[in-house]
Amino acid sequence: MASSSGGAFSALASWMLKQGGYVCAASYDDDFKGVHHVIIRSEEELPRLRTSKYTQSRTGTCFQDILRLLKQGEKVLFAGTPCQTAGLHLFLRKEYDNLLTVDIVCHGVPSPVIFTDYISYLERKYKSPVKNYNFRDKKWSWYHFNTKAEFKNRKAVYLGTWEEDTFMRGFLRDYFLRESCYTCKYSKHERYADITLSDFWGYDATDGGFPNDDKGISMCMCNTVSGKNAFESAKSSLIWCTRPRKMSLTNGGFSPRSATLEERQAFLEEYRRIGFDRAVPKYMYPEPVPDDLRVLYFWGRGSRALKRSRKLLRLVRKIQRFFRSSKKQA
């Protein structure tokens, strides 16, 4: 539950650390207004690398540090976006047997400036600095995830549903991704990384799969022999099964972006003039929340809660139809 999906990254990272290796991945800044890559060597540090972070991560000197460690014979796991992984390979200029690369099926990299403005927006609204933030909290559901912000004054907790959170709406409408994301050459099954991870949105348990409990399922694509060997070594801590590769195609990161570069440019030009607060109603407005999800958000969490919510909603509608019918007859 601590991971955004099924915990595959944690299993791989833990396996690497237990071998005495290093793990390099994205971590929030102390003020949660940005993200940067760090290198860790202990499992106690692993929680800071968990969960999805939908903004650009600064790699700083990590590539140089990784090269130094590899030359010293140390084992390293690097996790990042497909373009970051490709950039690392280009920087190293040769293959290293002691390097394991892990990329993600990426929707696109949002602007770090707008993420900073979003956190500042929440801090103004709740009158306190943010002390913890999660893009992919699973209070209600993995599939219908929410954002979560905790504040230093401890007076309130912000929970933004997938349909209503302002940053999430702008991000998923593709208004403020990096310019290169709109013509990304890595949005395909051919990968530079040894392993590719993502949420398994298209998962189907038919013919040998395990049940979907709505707590999160990772898709793990082993792209190289090194990737397959690493997964074989780490899988003992996972509940796993093999699935047809075509199931992964439902993930939006393999598809072109919905907005165009022209729409992005128009948004950014207006954003520079009006700022975050005034951009919300025009560009980051909420999606309609279906009735069954409204009941879910009130009722509880998980697939069982969603089923109960839908049953309750059907009962409410049946009662409403009965009373409407009774009024007509009267």
Side-chain angles (χ1 to χ4, degrees):
M1 290 295 290
S3 299
S4 294
S5 50
F9 166 74
S10 293
L12 290 164
S14 179
W15 165 75
M16 177 61 74
L17 294 168
K18 285 175 180 175
Q19 294 184 87
Y22 294 79
V23 175
C24 180
S27 171
Y28 283 110
D29 295 349
D30 290 340
D31 62 2
F32 290 91
K33 292 184 177 180
V35 175
H36 64 286
H37 266 59
V38 297
I39 299 176
I40 67 167
R41 201 180 186 182
S42 70
E43 291 205 59
E44 289 74 23
E45 299 173 279
L46 184 53
R48 65 191 293 202
L49 306 187
R50 291 192 182 111
T51 75
S52 300
K53 301 171 181 72
Y54 297 133
T55 187
Q56 183 172 330
S57 178
R58 308 182 307 276
T59 54
T61 63
C62 283
F63 286 10
Q64 294 95 321
D65 296 336
I66 289 171
L67 177 59
R68 174 177 51 81
L69 290 169
L70 293 174
K71 286 183 174 181
Q72 293 171 357
E74 302 286 358
K75 294 180 179 180
V76 178
L77 183 157
F78 174 83
T81 60
C83 53
Q84 285 175 327
T85 305
L88 174 61
H89 281 295
L90 289 170
F91 175 82
L92 297 175
R93 296 190 176 186
K94 59 173 284 189
E95 296 297 317
Y96 286 85
D97 293 337
N98 48 333
L99 172 66
L100 180 72
T101 54
V102 177
D103 71 1
I104 57 173
V105 179
C106 182
H107 179 89
V109 180
S111 161
V113 172
I114 294 178
F115 177 67
T116 299
D117 290 349
Y118 162 72
I119 294 295
S120 298
Y121 168 81
L122 292 178
E123 290 179 338
R124 290 195 301 275
K125 185 174 181 180
Y126 289 89
K127 298 179 173 60
S128 175
V130 168
K131 72 170 185 178
N132 194 28
Y133 184 80
N134 188 352
F135 270 114
R136 294 284 303 282
D137 184 62
K138 293 184 276 190
K139 173 180 172 60
W140 293 293
S141 165
W142 160 60
Y143 198 84
H144 302 286
F145 60 84
N146 60 282
T147 59
K148 180 180 181 180
E150 298 173 88
F151 301 89
K152 290 184 178 179
N153 64 9
R154 301 183 180 180
K155 291 183 179 180
V157 174
Y158 166 73
L159 298 174
T161 65
W162 179 89
E163 296 87 0
E164 296 175 326
D165 179 74
T166 52
F167 186 89
M168 192 61 67
R169 293 325 315 156
F171 166 46
L172 294 176
R173 290 179 182 131
D174 301 334
Y175 283 133
F176 44 75
L177 307 180
R178 285 179 58 88
E179 185 173 348
S180 57
C181 294
Y182 296 83
T183 55
C184 179
K185 63 180 181 180
Y186 304 107
S187 297
K188 55 187 179 180
H189 269 92
E190 294 76 20
R191 318 294 288 189
Y192 280 80
D194 297 305
I195 293 175
T196 297
L197 300 178
S198 76
D199 293 275
F200 207 158
W201 298 126
Y203 176 79
D204 185 342
T206 305
D207 297 329
F210 52 79
N212 180 1
D213 60 5
D214 200 27
K215 293 180 180 179
I217 300 176
S218 296
M219 182 189 72
C220 183
M221 289 169 43
C222 298
N223 306 313
T224 66
V225 173
S226 295
K228 185 175 181 180
N229 290 341
F231 179 79
E232 289 294 322
S233 299
K235 72 182 184 182
S236 60
S237 62
L238 297 168
I239 299 171
W240 65 279
C241 64
T242 57
R243 298 284 81 192
R245 198 175 181 90
K246 64 182 180 181
M247 277 190 190
S248 67
L249 294 174
T250 58
N251 193 304
F254 288 128
S255 306
R257 306 283 62 82
S258 59
T260 64
L261 275 171
E262 290 74 18
E263 290 173 306
R264 171 188 182 271
Q265 186 61 32
F267 166 81
L268 291 176
E269 288 178 0
E270 186 160 14
Y271 187 88
R272 293 186 187 102
R273 288 191 297 102
I274 66 177
F276 189 93
D277 294 48
R278 291 173 62 192
V280 168
K282 184 169 183 179
Y283 293 99
M284 293 173 268
Y285 53 87
E287 291 286 314
V289 181
D291 289 340
D292 58 342
L293 292 185
R294 288 189 182 279
V295 178
L296 170 68
Y297 296 149
F298 174 80
W299 186 278
R301 79 156 315 280
S303 55
R304 291 184 179 178
L306 185 56
K307 289 177 182 177
R308 290 197 301 267
S309 302
R310 287 169 175 165
K311 286 181 181 179
L312 178 61
L313 187 62
R314 285 196 294 269
L315 177 61
V316 169
R317 287 172 175 168
K318 187 175 181 180
I319 293 171
Q320 288 174 335
R321 286 195 298 270
F322 171 78
F323 278 107
R324 282 198 295 266
S325 177
S326 298
K327 285 182 180 180
K328 287 180 180 178
Q329 290 176 6

